[in-house]
Amino acid sequence: MNVKEKDGLYIANTYARFPICLKSGKGSLVTDEEGKEYIDMATGIAVNSFGFCDNAWIDAVTKQLGTLQHTSNLYYSKPCADLAELICTKTAMKKVFFSNSGAEANECAIKTARKYAAEKKGSDYYTIITLKNSFHGRTVTTLAATGQEAFHKDFLPLTDGFVYVEADNCDELIKAVENNKVAAVMFETVQGEGGVLPLDEKFVKTVFELAEKYDFLTIADEVQTGNGRTGKLYGYMNYGVKPDIFTTAKGLGGGLPLGATVLGEKAADVLTPGSHGSTFGGNPAVCAGAISILSRITDELLAEVNAKSDYIFKSLSSAKGVKSVTGKGLMIGIETEKDASEVIAECQKNGVLVIKAKSKVRLLPALNIPDDLLKKAVDVIIKACE
Ligand SMILES: *Cc1c(COP(=O)(O)O)cnc(C)c1O
């Protein structure tokens, strides 16, 4: 039995996988089990921030693995405390709760917002406003936060207390804030799964003005947009705002599971002993790897990310068969005249891995993808769009 057959037989049928079995990789190159090499423009959905098997990250993780691989949160652990300090220092936030995924990071943010509102304004202030077309995770509560009915179907009833407004529609947002007892507004600064759509500056400003006026919390879901992906350390930094809570995961661990719920001044002391927890969250080996990732996302690296982004936008915007290019930094969506799946298959045939976001082709290359590989990949993508 080959891998595809075995997978079909034993793995739960939740994924529509591409017909490729990846075997090994280094940097932005990855090889399948038949020995075919690809330039990777997907990084395992924005996870492998510095590409496959990045040396500094491997060193950090393996060194910690040989020292102490897991402690549980019953004990103090240095990598965990060091990573929290690094995140807070870089963002001027106050405290971090570590978990293992984006969905869990968002669950913690939702619990924190509800507890904040319950204590401050009363337990009926539980409503969380999220955006239509958003994506916040697959647990029953983060599905409820996800403003897309297609994901809800067959799993009802979901957690109560979520209200959806159209992204960039300030009037709808204002109405929702006036008509509900709101604990928080939660948003992605660039909707990733929704089609790589950045929010309007005016809309984001309005969220923060309303938060001030009505004293609810702002939650930025930076699971995909975080950790340098959009050309700033976190996506909200493109808007000159500072959320009360931001969540992140994907790129933070550089390839190992790690979620973080990062709390600002207002939210820092809401969680108390026993109110939340995780067995694996803040695992020392995972945190040691994340320190090596986050400490290399410097202004110089971000300048490179933005230069690579400009190159992609310029090259693709004028290409034949391309209707539009959206996104920020190295999180890019391409609306193509051809069906996106067709373009993706053509890219795969020619040795480039790209993925889909709704009906678009999505690019999420490594933050440090070498310029020659980027150019080669972009040339292949342009040809595939024609
Ligand atoms: C991927 C993603 C999630 C869910 O993360 P998991 O690690 O799959 O649970 C949540 N929010 C956003 C914006 C995402 O892109």
Side-chain angles (χ1 to χ4, degrees):
M1 221 188 304
N2 67 30
V3 176
K4 280 173 209 165
E5 288 163 350
K6 196 179 285 188
D7 182 298
L9 202 54
Y10 292 113
I11 300 283
N13 194 24
T14 59
Y15 302 109
R17 299 195 204 276
F18 294 120
I20 295 171
C21 177
L22 296 175
K23 195 171 173 196
S24 64
K26 196 74 195 168
S28 287
L29 290 172
V30 60
T31 307
D32 70 14
E33 61 173 1
E34 276 136 34
K36 179 170 173 170
E37 193 175 68
Y38 304 85
I39 301 170
D40 176 41
M41 296 288 283
T43 53
I45 323 184
V47 167
N48 303 324
S49 300
F50 290 96
F52 290 103
C53 301
D54 164 65
N55 287 335
W57 174 82
I58 291 177
D59 286 350
V61 172
T62 50
K63 192 158 160 255
Q64 183 59 41
L65 276 178
T67 309
L68 202 61
Q69 87 276 28
H70 171 78
T71 57
S72 89
N73 284 301
L74 298 175
Y75 305 94
Y76 294 98
S77 149
K78 187 172 184 327
C80 181
D82 285 348
L83 177 59
E85 179 191 33
L86 184 60
I87 294 172
C88 289
T89 305
K90 279 180 169 274
T91 60
M93 296 293 270
K94 297 292 177 201
K95 282 191 159 71
V96 184
F97 178 85
F98 288 118
S99 54
N100 315 283
S101 67
E104 279 177 282
N106 286 337
E107 286 270 349
C108 175
I110 291 163
K111 282 179 71 174
T112 305
R114 285 197 167 169
K115 192 164 183 291
Y116 172 86
E119 286 168 351
K120 202 157 179 208
K121 306 206 300 192
S123 57
D124 50 339
Y125 277 79
Y126 56 73
T127 298
I128 296 186
I129 297 174
T130 64
L131 305 187
K132 289 173 186 165
N133 197 45
S134 57
F135 184 80
H136 297 296
R138 302 280 195 167
T139 64
V140 173
T141 295
T142 56
L143 266 187
T146 295
Q148 301 193 53
E149 256 171 47
F151 289 104
H152 295 176
K153 193 182 155 290
D154 297 337
F155 302 111
L156 304 176
L158 301 177
T159 305
D160 200 7
F162 289 88
V163 167
Y164 316 108
V165 304
E166 199 189 321
D168 294 343
N169 187 330
C170 295
D171 294 339
E172 210 181 305
L173 173 69
I174 291 165
K175 268 199 202 104
V177 169
E178 285 171 349
N179 295 337
N180 292 282
K181 294 184 169 171
V182 177
V185 173
M186 180 166 163
F187 55 89
E188 303 154 85
T189 53
V190 182
Q191 292 190 332
E193 303 308 308
V196 201
L197 300 165
L199 290 181
D200 262 5
E201 208 144 307
K202 179 162 172 260
F203 183 78
V204 174
K205 290 260 150 72
T206 305
V207 170
F208 283 78
E209 283 165 17
L210 291 167
E212 183 94 345
K213 186 167 167 199
Y214 290 88
D215 190 22
F216 58 75
L217 296 186
T218 50
I219 305 173
D221 177 345
E222 299 275 354
V223 172
Q224 191 165 156
T225 48
N227 314 298
R229 183 48 56 190
T230 67
K232 294 268 188 195
L233 186 58
Y234 290 98
Y236 68 80
M237 294 172 176
N238 289 298
Y239 293 85
V241 296
K242 191 177 171 207
D244 297 307
I245 302 176
F246 76 84
T247 60
T248 192
K250 291 190 168 89
L252 179 62
L256 283 171
L258 177 60
T261 308
V262 186
L263 310 166
E265 193 89 49
K266 277 188 181 176
D269 298 318
V270 173
L271 298 174
T272 47
S275 62
H276 201 49
S278 167
T279 300
F280 285 118
N283 171 279
V286 177
C287 286
I291 290 168
S292 105
I293 298 289
L294 200 58
S295 60
R296 282 181 287 156
I297 305 179
T298 57
D299 287 345
E300 296 82 80
L301 181 90
L302 292 173
E304 275 178 46
V305 166
N306 285 312
K308 290 177 207 294
S309 174
D310 288 347
Y311 171 74
I312 298 175
F313 268 93
K314 276 202 193 97
S315 310
L316 285 166
S317 298
S318 55
K320 228 177 111 191
V322 172
K323 285 199 204 157
S324 70
V325 187
T326 59
K328 271 194 201 308
L330 290 176
M331 180 172 175
I332 292 172
I334 314 165
E335 190 191 357
T336 52
E337 274 164 25
K338 282 189 203 165
D339 190 78
S341 298
E342 218 182 296
V343 174
I344 292 167
E346 182 68 15
C347 287
Q348 286 170 356
K349 205 179 100 196
N350 295 310
V352 172
L353 299 184
V354 296
I355 59 176
K356 218 169 155 180
K358 280 274 170 79
S359 61
K360 289 185 185 173
V361 175
R362 178 169 35 160
L363 311 183
L364 298 161
L367 303 182
N368 65 343
I369 183 170
D371 287 336
D372 59 328
L373 291 183
L374 179 61
K375 182 171 187 314
K376 268 192 198 166
V378 167
D379 289 347
V380 166
I381 296 163
I382 288 172
K383 272 233 170 68
C385 291
E386 261 175 29

